[in-house]
């Protein structure tokens, strides 16, 4: 499969422009025929590309890779962006239930709170924020409109040469669709939260214009969970010479309330209700505008000379995020206590340019990919006190210091990467990759920052610059052991290095006032990973299976959980395995199942306190997707179950979370009498409301954000 990067254009609007856009969409549709042909649907039975194939398609890498296409995304019951990743082998998703805060994605034994250890990109734009005040690598996907995605690539481990900083657990590349049709989608859930999504796509001049508006408003399961979100996406795509150029502008605005984390013991004893809120005013505000330019050659494999095989992205992002928090679980429900407020004002720009060339050298099929990346983030970070109505609390005699953090974080990364694929034998492919990353940090503390005077007191400078460089080799091989025409078996193996930048809020001057000797410096952590596995197909590719064993070591790991507690694990290790399989029962029905297990430990901590917290010991998923052609129309049905095993809540393993499961189903019906109309319904159930998520707040307190027993959403979509 050849992927196409597609940029877009977004701008902030309110309800009136929304209605105008919907009316314009309908009017344009009524006056002119559709510009994008509707092709007959067909089911393709097959597996991923061979690991011995020389291609730029990441699915052919000698590594554990999952690729989701548009058809696979459509069958999922996606109500939030986290649902995109549910059911993926070894990957579990935890929705914090705290307003707009980024979800937790876990795989390869990394908790990856807020996605911090997964390098994630959308049309070439990195979504991880290195200098984020909340957490190093904070990865916010809230601006994603799932209906616009065409392809999602998930690589477990640091094997991808195109992913550098934060690719610890792995990397995710997402691409928007270039063939989106005009449509109007409406949905509502059983808590009253409503979503409206008009999409308008038309040929304009020599190119194609795409406009989309995602409007969400309403409450959630808890009594304090209102969300109001406006997400405007626009893109103009223009064919030029041997490729496609696209310009996208997006404007995202959201305001959300949050219940806060609740004391599990008090819920179970009946002192508070599971749907209560901890404190008034908790939640988030976020405003983002981004401008993205993408180019991709029509010949993505670089078969036709210098002009072919190019991929390029350039981006500019302005983002302002505010989070209002209180982690005192002993408060009575709906308190009006003052809040801690994080405010990050981000300016980010960068580029990513890659050239792929496919050639034959001494009769060996080969491919060379070379790329350069640059990313610069400047964050004005403040942490101050607000009241329960989100008003700034001014300094006074009783509160002499309302500001605790006031600093500018400047981080930049320059990278060069390359990967060579060689096929010395028809049944063997070798991959040789190398990345070079140079990371620059510039930390400037201002006088209102609490650490400013503490640094001066111990003779440390309040302004520090630091640089680090890392080489990350990535070597792999794919060997075809069997190919008899109906069945295949392939062996794959890889060894790769990755890197993780320091967390400049906890790693830098974290304990300077208490013990200057214990202050870590701005050291980049290095990761080493190895993997070996077998994959195969049977019955003319109707059955696909894979098994892999892997081992990862990180030389310096630090963590800050959702409650804000910082802890250093030092040198860590993770060992695990993955099993997965899918079977095409009929041309219109498929079943799948997977199971993953992991052991995650700190090598620096004593044996009785060496558990990495919040890492599920195992995860499993299973499901079925079917299509039924009825006399009155077509019915699509999918069921998916996810089981998450027990996990250590504390490093001594004395407090543990229990196994829980999440069950999801979706049905959609397309009547033959009304062309373009789809009716759909989805449901989600939890067997344990207090497991996703669950955190140690110290002093024996376990904080939870209860999930609903049943969540139901219904809706309709009309495609023009």
């Amino acid at each position: 499969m050849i992927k196409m990067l597609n940029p877009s254009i977004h701008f902030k609007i309110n309800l009136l422009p929304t209605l105008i856009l919907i009316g314009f969409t309908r009017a344009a549709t009524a006056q002119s025929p559709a510009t994008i042909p509707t092709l007959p649907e067909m089911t393709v039975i097959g597996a991923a590309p061979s690991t011995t194939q020389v291609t730029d398609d990441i699915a052919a890498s000698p590594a554990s890779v999952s690729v989701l296409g548009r058809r696979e995304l459509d069958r999922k019951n996606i109500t939030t962006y986290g649902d995109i990743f549910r059911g993926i082998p070894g990957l579990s998703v935890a929705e914090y239930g705290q307003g707009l805060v980024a979800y937790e994605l876990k795989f390869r034994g990394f908790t990856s709170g807020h996605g911090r250890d997964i390098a994630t990109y959308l049309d070439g734009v990195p979504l991880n924020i290195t200098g984020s005040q909340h957490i190093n690598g904070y990865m916010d996907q809230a601006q994603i409109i799932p209906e616009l995605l065409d392809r999602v690539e998930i690589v477990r481990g640091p094997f991808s040469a195109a992913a550098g900083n934060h690719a610890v657990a792995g990397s995710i590349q997402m691409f928007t669709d270039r063939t989106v049709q005009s449509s109007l989608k409406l949905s509502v859930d059983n808590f009253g939260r409503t979503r409206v999504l008009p999409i308008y796509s038309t040929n304009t001049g020599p190119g194609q214009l795409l406009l989309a508006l995602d409007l969400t408003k309403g409450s959630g399961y808890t009594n304090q969970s209102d969300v109001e979100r406006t997400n405007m996406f626009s893109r103009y795509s223009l064919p030029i010479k041997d490729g496609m150029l696209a310009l996208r502008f997006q404007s995202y605005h959201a305001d959300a309330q949050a219940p806060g984390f609740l004391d599990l013991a008090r819920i179970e004893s009946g002192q508070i209700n599971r749907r209560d809120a901890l404190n008034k005013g908790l939640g988030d505000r976020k405003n983002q505008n981004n401008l993205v330019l993408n180019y991709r050659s029509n010949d993505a494999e670089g078969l036709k000379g210098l002009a072919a095989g190019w991929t390029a992205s350039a981006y500019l992002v302005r983002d302002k995020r505010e989070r209002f928090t209180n982690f005192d679980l002993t408060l009575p429900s709906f308190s009006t206590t003052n809040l801690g407020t994080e405010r990050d004002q981000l300016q980010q720009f960068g580029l990513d340019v890659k050239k792929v060339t496919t050639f034959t050298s001494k009769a060996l099929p080969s491919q060379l990919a070379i790329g350069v990346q640059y990313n610069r983030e400047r964050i004005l970070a403040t942490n101050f006190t607000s009241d329960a109505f989100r008003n700034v609390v001014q300094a006074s005699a009783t509160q002499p210091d309302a500001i605790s953090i006031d600093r500018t974080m400047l981080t930049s990364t320059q990278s060069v990467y390359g990967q060579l694929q060689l096929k010395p034998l028809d049944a063997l492919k070798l991959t040789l990759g190398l990345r070079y990353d140079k990371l620059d940090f510039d930390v400037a503390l201002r006088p209102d920052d609490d650490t400013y005077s503490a640094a001066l007191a111990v003779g440390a400078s309040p302004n520090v610059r630091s640089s680090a460089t890392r080489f990350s080799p990535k070597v792999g091989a794919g060997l075809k052991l069997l190919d008899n025409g109906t069945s295949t078996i392939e062996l794959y193996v890889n060894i790769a290095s990755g890197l993780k930048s320091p967390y400049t809020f906890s790693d830098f001057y974290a304990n300077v006032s208490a013990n200057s000797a214990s202050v870590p410096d701005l050291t980049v952590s290095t990761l080493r990973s190895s993997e070996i596995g077998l994959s195969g197909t049977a019955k003319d590719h109707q059955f696909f299976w894979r098994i892999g064993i892997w081992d990862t070591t990180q030389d310096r790991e630090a963590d800050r959980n959702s409650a804000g507690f910082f802890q250093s694990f030092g040198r860590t290790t993770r060992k695990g395995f993955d099993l997965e399989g899918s079977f095409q029962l009929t041309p219109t029905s498929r079943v799948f199942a997977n199971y993953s297990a992991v052991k995650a430990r700190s090598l620096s901590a004593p044996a009785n306190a060496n558990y990495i917290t919040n890492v599920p010991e195992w995860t499993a998923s299973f499901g079925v997707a079917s299509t039924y052609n009825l006399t009155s129309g077509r019915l699509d049905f999918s069921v998916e179950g996810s089981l998450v095993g027990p996990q250590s809540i504390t490093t001594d393993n004395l407090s543990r979370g229990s196994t829980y499961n999440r069950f999801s189903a979706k049905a959609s019906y397309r009547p033959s009498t009304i062309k373009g109309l789809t009716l759909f319904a989805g449901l989600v159930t939890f067997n344990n409301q207090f497991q996703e998520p669950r955190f140690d707040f110290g002093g024996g307190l376990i904080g939870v954000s209860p999930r609903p027993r049943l969540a139901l959403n219904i809706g309709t979509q009309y495609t023009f």
Side-chain angles (χ1 to χ4, degrees):
M1 181 183 294
I2 297 176
K3 53 185 180 291
M4 171 68 72
L5 295 180
N6 294 305
S8 338
I9 306 178
H10 295 194
F11 41 92
K12 186 185 299 184
I13 56 179
N14 55 30
L15 184 58
L16 179 60
T18 302
L19 297 176
I20 293 174
L21 176 60
I22 296 174
F24 177 60
T25 301
R26 289 177 172 170
T29 305
Q31 295 173 8
S32 61
T35 57
I36 302 176
T38 301
L39 301 177
E41 297 209 21
M42 51 191 300
T43 301
V44 179
I45 300 175
S50 168
T51 57
T52 63
Q53 184 178 344
V54 175
T55 173
D56 190 48
D57 189 345
I58 194 68
S61 297
S64 181
V65 179
S66 296
V67 176
L68 303 178
R70 183 66 257 169
R71 186 69 180 269
E72 180 73 7
L73 293 170
D74 283 340
R75 77 157 186 85
K76 287 177 169 286
N77 181 25
I78 297 178
T79 57
T80 69
Y81 73 83
D83 297 330
I84 295 171
F85 308 104
R86 298 191 189 273
I88 303 299
L91 199 158
S92 64
V93 180
E95 180 181 352
Y96 293 114
Q98 303 301 316
L100 307 174
V101 66
Y103 294 178
E104 181 175 59
L105 303 181
K106 306 178 184 181
F107 65 86
R108 284 293 159 100
F110 290 89
T111 59
S112 295
H114 309 295
R116 68 172 182 266
D117 292 329
I118 305 171
T120 304
Y121 307 84
L122 175 63
D123 287 344
V125 181
L127 301 185
N128 304 86
I129 305 302
T130 299
S132 170
Q133 177 182 174
H134 191 68
I135 202 164
N136 175 27
Y138 186 91
M139 183 258 288
D140 187 3
Q141 299 185 41
Q143 71 269 32
I144 292 173
I145 302 176
E147 289 82 357
L148 300 185
L149 293 180
D150 175 59
R151 181 174 168 98
V152 178
E153 303 172 349
I154 302 167
V155 180
R156 297 166 188 80
F159 184 72
S160 173
N165 191 18
H166 309 301
V168 178
S171 58
I172 297 174
Q173 297 273 3
M174 292 177 286
F175 304 95
T176 51
D177 197 345
R178 64 186 179 94
T179 58
V180 180
Q181 293 181 260
S182 297
S183 65
L184 176 63
K185 187 175 185 179
L186 304 171
S187 65
V188 62
D189 66 21
N190 56 321
F191 307 112
R193 185 168 294 176
T194 303
R195 181 172 182 249
V196 181
L197 176 63
I199 298 175
Y200 178 59
S201 178
T202 184
N203 289 341
T204 302
Q208 184 184 60
L209 176 67
L210 173 66
L211 300 175
L213 176 63
D214 186 347
L215 290 173
T216 302
K217 184 177 176 60
S219 298
Y221 171 65
T222 63
N223 292 321
Q224 184 172 289
S225 56
D226 288 353
V227 171
E228 186 171 347
R229 178 172 62 230
T230 302
N231 190 1
M232 183 69 188
F233 177 101
S234 60
R235 178 183 70 215
Y236 188 70
S237 303
L238 179 69
I240 57 171
K241 245 184 164 182
D242 299 319
M244 179 72 72
L245 182 69
L247 179 67
R248 151 184 139 200
F249 176 72
Q250 181 176 10
S251 184
Y252 174 93
H253 169 75
D255 195 323
Q257 294 180 331
F261 290 101
L262 303 179
D263 181 2
L264 177 60
R266 295 172 66 199
I267 295 176
E268 293 178 334
S269 66
Q271 296 179 48
I272 58 176
N273 189 285
R274 68 188 65 191
R275 300 179 72 171
D276 282 353
L278 178 68
N279 205 115
K280 294 284 189 181
L282 298 175
D284 309 76
R285 283 200 292 248
K286 181 178 175 68
N287 291 278
Q288 184 189 103
N289 295 281
N290 61 67
L291 183 67
V292 182
L293 182 69
N294 289 132
Y295 174 79
R296 187 172 183 86
S297 300
N298 296 331
D299 175 13
E301 299 292 339
L303 296 167
K304 300 178 181 178
L306 183 62
W310 288 96
T311 301
S313 303
Y315 52 89
L316 176 64
V317 180
R318 294 179 64 92
D319 184 278
K320 181 180 179 181
R321 183 187 69 88
E322 291 180 309
R323 188 183 182 205
F324 304 89
T325 60
N326 190 326
F327 296 122
D328 184 359
L329 271 60
T330 64
L331 293 173
S333 297
F334 303 104
S335 295
T336 56
T337 307
N338 285 345
L339 306 172
T341 304
E342 291 179 351
R343 176 185 291 163
D344 280 359
Q345 299 180 78
L346 167 71
Q347 296 178 350
Q348 180 185 19
F349 66 86
L351 57 85
D352 186 345
V353 180
K354 184 177 77 169
K355 172 69 171 81
V356 176
T357 302
T358 301
F359 58 98
T360 300
S361 175
K362 297 183 179 180
L364 300 180
S366 307
Q367 185 179 88
L368 178 64
I370 298 177
V372 295
Q373 296 171 334
Y374 177 76
N375 182 64
R376 182 184 186 272
E377 305 169 15
R378 184 182 185 274
I379 295 180
L380 175 59
T382 53
N383 196 310
F384 53 92
T385 303
S386 300
D387 63 22
F389 302 97
R390 300 186 177 181
N391 300 310
V392 177
V393 174
Q394 301 299 323
S396 64
T398 57
Q399 177 120 16
D401 186 12
I403 299 175
S404 58
I405 290 177
D406 187 10
R407 61 183 74 173
T408 299
M409 314 298 299
L410 181 61
T411 62
S412 63
T413 305
Q414 306 97 52
S415 307
V416 179
Y417 64 94
Q419 178 175 273
L420 176 64
Q421 299 182 52
L422 300 171
K423 198 167 183 178
L425 302 172
D426 186 59
L428 175 65
K429 182 182 77 174
L430 303 176
T431 63
L432 306 172
L434 182 65
R435 276 189 69 91
Y436 170 78
D437 292 279
K438 182 177 184 292
L439 297 88
D440 297 314
F441 307 94
D442 190 340
V443 184
L445 308 178
R446 286 182 287 274
D448 284 337
D449 195 299
D450 285 354
T451 312
Y452 183 88
S453 57
L456 295 181
V458 296
S461 171
N463 300 296
V464 172
R465 293 182 178 179
S466 177
S467 295
T469 59
R470 288 292 185 275
F471 284 96
S472 303
K474 304 169 190 295
V475 180
L479 176 64
K480 186 170 292 185
L481 302 177
L482 171 68
D483 188 353
N484 61 13
T486 60
S487 300
T488 63
I489 298 177
E490 295 182 353
L491 170 72
Y492 65 91
V493 60
N494 65 75
I495 301 173
S497 291
L499 68 148
K500 179 72 175 180
S501 59
Y503 178 40
T504 48
F505 285 88
S506 287
D507 289 11
F508 177 57
Y509 292 154
N511 307 299
V512 69
S513 59
N515 183 359
S516 60
S518 68
V519 179
D521 57 12
L522 293 177
T523 301
V524 173
S525 176
T526 302
L527 176 84
R528 289 162 293 281
S529 175
S530 59
E531 179 182 19
I532 184 170
L534 290 169
S535 63
T537 62
K539 294 188 176 182
D540 289 328
H541 294 252
Q542 287 185 335
F543 176 55
F544 168 76
W545 59 271
R546 175 161 53 198
I547 177 173
I549 302 172
W550 52 270
D551 187 318
T552 299
T553 302
Q554 188 172 355
D555 59 17
R556 184 179 183 270
E557 182 175 346
D559 175 38
R560 185 191 186 196
N561 68 17
S562 295
F565 294 111
F566 174 78
Q567 53 188 337
S568 176
F569 293 113
R571 183 176 172 82
T572 59
T573 180
R574 290 164 171 85
K575 303 177 187 295
F577 67 88
D578 303 305
L579 300 170
E580 63 173 301
S582 65
F583 183 70
Q584 200 82 27
L585 293 173
T586 70
T588 59
S589 297
R590 181 176 67 90
V591 296
F592 73 90
N594 56 69
Y595 178 86
S596 299
V598 61
K599 179 180 179 181
R601 299 289 187 270
S602 169
L603 298 176
S604 301
N608 60 351
N610 66 347
Y611 284 78
I612 307 296
T613 55
N614 298 106
V615 175
E617 295 176 0
W618 57 266
T619 59
S621 298
F622 59 90
V624 59
S626 299
T627 298
Y628 301 95
N629 292 313
L630 310 175
T631 55
S632 59
R634 197 185 85 180
L635 176 66
D636 291 286
F637 181 74
S638 64
V639 176
E640 186 175 288
S642 297
L643 291 83
V644 179
Q647 51 193 292
S648 302
I649 306 301
T650 55
T651 57
D652 58 12
N653 199 34
L654 295 179
S655 178
R656 290 170 56 81
S658 61
T659 300
Y660 69 94
N661 63 66
R662 180 185 187 277
F663 179 85
S664 176
K666 179 184 179 182
S668 60
Y669 176 67
R670 300 182 183 182
S672 55
T673 54
I674 308 178
K675 186 177 180 181
L677 179 66
T678 301
L679 307 173
F680 61 87
L683 66 86
V684 177
T685 65
F686 286 89
N687 77 315
N688 192 322
Q689 296 177 266
F690 306 124
Q691 293 292 337
E692 183 192 315
R694 188 181 183 118
F695 296 108
D696 172 33
F697 278 73
L701 294 176
I702 300 298
V704 298
S705 180
R707 304 288 88 207
R709 287 282 189 189
L710 174 67
L712 175 69
N713 68 295
I714 59 174
T716 182
Q717 181 173 357
Y718 188 75
T719 302
F720 303 99

